[in-house]
Amino acid sequence: MGIEERSTVRSRQLGDALRSAMDNAKLTGKRTACLLGWSESRISRFFTGKLPATEIEVSALLALYGVTGAERDRLLELTRHPTTLGWTSAEAVRTLADHQRKATRITEVHTATVPLLLQTENYARAVVSRMVNAPTEGTEHFLTDRLARQQLFAIAHPPQCIFYIHELVLQLPVGGSRVMSEQLHHLLRLSVRSYITIRLIPSAVGAHAGLAGSCALLEFSDVPPVTYVETETASYFIEEPAEITAYHNVFTALTAVALDQTQTKTIISRLAAEQSGSARAG
């Protein structure tokens, strides 16, 4: 498949933004093509991310749609590297949310904290309070932006989500007993939703396939899967097929050692009761 026929995370993000700008301008692909003297299929391939657009072409579209200022700068920056497979940018958080909404299946492994999509506000606040590189100003805005990712569960048809969490994560007293009690009970409530599966990796297995760190594999019905990885200073979308296969192998291995849903709920219930008792005693 030629690169002009393969969309990437970056090119799809640009295409979605251009389509949104067209809609806001109350134009259509056919009208856009007519005004610019381009073919309608060319416009369509820009929007799907399958045809890289030059800065001149994107500038023409943005001028037609009346996009200016910071948004114009943002989209032109996306244009400069439209076919990059895997990238880091402040744009990553917005792009992650867009791709999560379009995913049919999301599989994550977490070995340090409860997955962000499953965190209570108090737990998230306790986590952020210990992030040495979190902004010292605008902390509430930073926290709100992180929790906004949970809006994924409010859409009409959320993706199937599978979370592998190491057992020790739930034993780490983040925020104290009251916060952990609330968080554990929240996990139990979420676990009854048909599109959420939570499976614990028991401490007894020792070393396991998820030791490389937390990550999320996003799968779609119409485009290749991507893996999302966050580090202390950047966010990465991994798209190369061989690398995606490697992450599939990780989750296959975790499936073989993780507790099933019933066993997982039993342990979470026990830990929740213990934390509730400690909170009352305190």
Side-chain angles (χ1 to χ4, degrees):
M1 182 182 294
I3 192 68
E4 72 279 0
E5 294 297 331
R6 178 181 178 181
S7 67
T8 67
V9 168
R10 190 185 294 269
S11 67
R12 288 194 296 274
Q13 187 70 359
L14 175 61
D16 287 345
L18 290 174
R19 185 185 297 277
S20 178
M22 180 185 71
D23 292 341
N24 290 338
K26 301 189 184 311
L27 291 172
T28 64
K30 183 175 182 178
R31 182 59 177 161
T32 295
C34 179
L35 290 171
L36 294 177
W38 299 346
S39 69
E40 194 172 350
S41 65
R42 183 182 183 185
I43 300 296
S44 175
R45 291 168 72 201
F46 283 157
F47 289 167
T48 59
K50 291 184 177 180
L51 179 65
T54 67
E55 281 193 62
I56 293 176
E57 290 167 329
V58 172
S59 293
L61 288 167
L62 297 179
L64 180 62
Y65 299 151
V67 178
T68 60
E71 180 65 1
R72 180 180 185 275
D73 293 341
R74 181 180 79 86
L75 298 183
L76 288 177
E77 178 60 29
L78 285 175
T79 307
R80 293 182 183 112
H81 306 283
T83 58
T84 299
L85 299 179
W87 54 295
T88 65
S89 169
E91 183 72 18
V93 172
R94 183 198 301 232
T95 303
L96 173 63
D98 289 344
H99 279 67
Q100 284 178 326
R101 285 193 294 271
K102 296 172 183 175
T104 56
R105 182 184 178 97
I106 299 174
T107 310
E108 301 188 9
V109 58
H110 292 265
T111 58
T113 65
V114 170
L116 180 57
L117 288 174
L118 307 181
Q119 290 179 11
T120 64
E121 180 178 344
N122 287 328
Y123 182 95
R125 188 180 300 279
V127 169
V128 168
S129 72
R130 293 295 184 268
M131 294 173 64
V132 296
N133 291 309
T136 54
E137 296 183 3
T139 302
E140 286 300 315
H141 181 70
F142 178 71
L143 180 65
T144 299
D145 282 349
R146 287 174 63 84
L147 291 174
R149 300 187 200 178
Q150 297 177 0
Q151 294 174 1
L152 173 69
F153 295 149
I155 65 178
H157 301 288
Q160 288 294 316
C161 296
I162 303 173
F163 300 95
Y164 293 94
I165 309 172
H166 197 279
E167 182 180 2
L168 292 179
V169 168
L170 303 188
Q171 297 175 3
L172 191 67
V174 175
S177 295
R178 292 185 185 280
V179 170
M180 284 306 301
S181 174
E182 176 188 44
Q183 177 63 71
L184 291 163
H185 282 94
H186 184 59
L187 292 179
L188 290 173
R189 288 191 293 271
L190 290 174
S191 68
V192 303
R193 299 187 185 185
S194 60
Y195 54 86
I196 293 179
T197 298
I198 302 173
R199 297 184 61 180
L200 289 184
I201 305 168
S203 301
V205 304
H208 57 85
L211 288 177
S214 301
C215 64
L217 176 65
L218 286 72
E219 298 174 87
F220 310 88
S221 61
D222 55 349
V223 296
V226 300
T227 296
Y228 178 77
V229 178
E230 284 186 345
T231 68
E232 187 68 26
T233 58
S235 301
Y236 296 81
F237 287 96
I238 298 170
E239 304 179 69
E240 289 287 4
E243 294 179 291
I244 295 300
T245 297
Y247 282 99
H248 270 296
N249 293 340
V250 167
F251 287 115
T252 297
L254 290 177
T255 299
V257 300
L259 301 178
D260 63 28
Q261 290 176 270
T262 300
Q263 294 169 319
T264 293
K265 289 177 184 178
T266 298
I267 290 181
I268 295 177
S269 296
R270 174 176 59 78
L271 292 174
E274 291 174 359
Q275 292 293 345
S276 295
S278 297
R280 286 194 297 270

